[in-house]
Amino acid sequence: MARAALAGLFVCLLALTGCAALADLGQLREDLETKGYDATSINHDTTNGYSVLSIDVSTADEPTPEDAERIAEVVWTKYPGEIDRLEISINGSVQLAAPYDNLLARFGERPEGMASEDDSSPLTLIVVVVVVAVVFAGLMVLLWRRGRRPPPPVAGPPGYQPGGHFQYPPQPPQG
């Protein structure tokens, strides 16, 4: 029972983390649609701390470099996630592939509240991991101790006297 409860808690924690990331990508899709671009695919992939945001859009017109610039500017100013590299494909062909420094030179500093390359502090990640580990360990100990409690005493059968003697039929206490 305790393991099932902890597994359920862990799954809920992962789901909440994933929901925030999906909400950010969904908002980016809406922002691109507002500018007239149909985002067919948006993928934010982080491997060993290096984040790549890949966006595929489709347009009815022939894609231009200006389209890629407009899309990159929307991403740079609206998407709150970390971006170490941005890749934009329009109608199936890659139009822009730029690292963070290139995007910084093109568009300047990101607006307040957006992740930047300097924000990727390992200290924040360590603190979050430690807090989650402490809460998880506390729940494990609590559930383990709860499962090890001795069962409540069971009333003996009618006529049972302390010390293991039976008296049948049961007699009222003498004395």
Side-chain angles (χ1 to χ4, degrees):
M1 175 69 177
R3 288 183 185 166
L6 288 175
L9 178 67
F10 185 67
V11 168
C12 288
L13 182 64
L14 288 177
L16 288 175
T17 304
C19 287
L22 288 176
D24 291 342
L25 292 175
Q27 183 61 49
L28 178 59
R29 182 181 302 273
E30 288 178 20
D31 293 338
L32 290 172
E33 286 176 2
T34 302
K35 297 291 183 180
Y37 298 102
D38 179 25
T40 56
S41 172
I42 299 177
N43 183 23
H44 188 232
D45 182 39
T46 302
T47 304
N48 294 331
Y50 190 78
S51 299
V52 178
L53 181 64
S54 303
I55 301 173
D56 295 325
V57 298
S58 63
T59 61
D61 302 327
E62 188 66 28
T64 64
E66 290 79 24
D67 287 327
E69 287 289 322
R70 281 192 290 268
I71 293 168
E73 186 174 8
V74 168
V75 170
W76 191 252
T77 58
K78 302 286 186 176
Y79 182 67
E82 185 177 332
I83 305 169
D84 291 320
R85 181 173 177 82
L86 177 62
E87 298 174 351
I88 299 173
S89 297
I90 303 175
N91 294 344
S93 65
V94 176
Q95 297 291 321
L96 181 120
Y100 179 88
D101 294 336
N102 189 306
L103 296 168
L104 183 62
R106 285 183 188 184
F107 305 114
E109 290 292 326
R110 295 186 77 187
E112 189 71 29
M114 302 293 165
S116 70
E117 196 171 61
D118 300 334
D119 289 344
S120 59
S121 168
L123 181 60
T124 304
L125 178 62
I126 291 169
V127 168
V128 169
V129 168
V130 167
V131 167
V132 169
V134 166
V135 169
F136 186 74
L139 286 172
M140 286 291 290
V141 168
L142 178 71
L143 291 173
W144 177 74
R145 291 189 72 204
R146 194 170 150 212
R148 293 188 41 93
R149 283 188 192 154
V154 178
Y160 176 76
Q161 302 263 330
H165 300 101
F166 281 95
Q167 188 175 23
Y168 197 80
Q171 301 291 320
Q174 304 288 323

